[in-house]
Amino acid sequence: MSRLFQLRMKLEQQSGEKISAANVKWAAGNPMGLAECAAPDIIWSYDLGVQNRVIGYEALRTYLEGFKGQIPPHQHVLIEPVFRFYGDMMIVSYRYQGTFEEEAGGSMEGYIGIQV
């Protein structure tokens, strides 16, 4: 294995752990966990609630602040995470499946695609 390959594998693992932890916070009702794992020059470009890209860490924090108190606790799964490297940049995408318990005892599922 090349040194570059080993480094990329380590970065994927570390990033995956941060993203998983951030999404655990999201599922518990805390949207700010997503900002905690964001790079200063993040571009948040694919989310059902975003009409335009959210560019930069402070813009992401402002965007996520709007979700405080709006996310009910729920179960979640990260589906098909993909890590791509372009020079010194990494793009991560995945689908998020949240299962919300309804008052009647049923559940509701949805998918959100996110690029971080």
Side-chain angles (χ1 to χ4, degrees):
M1 254 186 267
S2 75
R3 185 177 166 110
L4 179 59
F5 179 78
Q6 290 174 342
L7 176 61
R8 286 182 174 181
M9 293 300 294
K10 183 177 180 179
L11 288 171
E12 279 185 31
Q13 179 183 0
Q14 290 172 342
S15 297
E17 289 169 0
K18 286 182 179 181
I19 290 167
S20 291
N23 280 288
V24 166
K25 290 180 181 182
W26 176 273
N30 176 7
M32 302 314 290
L34 294 173
E36 292 171 9
C37 72
D41 56 351
I42 186 170
I43 299 176
W44 188 280
S45 63
Y46 186 78
D47 182 336
L48 297 177
V50 176
Q51 293 182 9
N52 297 308
R53 290 181 299 220
V54 177
I55 301 174
Y57 179 78
E58 290 304 321
L60 178 62
R61 285 190 58 79
T62 299
Y63 171 71
L64 293 172
E65 287 281 340
F67 289 99
K68 282 187 172 178
Q70 305 298 314
I71 305 164
H74 59 278
Q75 299 296 315
H76 75 286
V77 176
L78 301 182
I79 301 169
E80 299 174 348
V82 176
F83 299 83
R84 292 287 186 257
F85 292 90
Y86 300 93
D88 64 353
M89 178 178 65
M90 179 174 58
I91 296 176
V92 180
S93 64
Y94 56 90
R95 292 187 302 153
Y96 182 99
Q97 178 181 2
T99 304
F100 302 85
E101 295 298 323
E102 295 178 337
E103 290 179 26
S107 67
M108 173 173 77
E109 296 182 7
Y111 294 93
I112 300 174
I114 301 173
Q115 291 183 345
V116 181

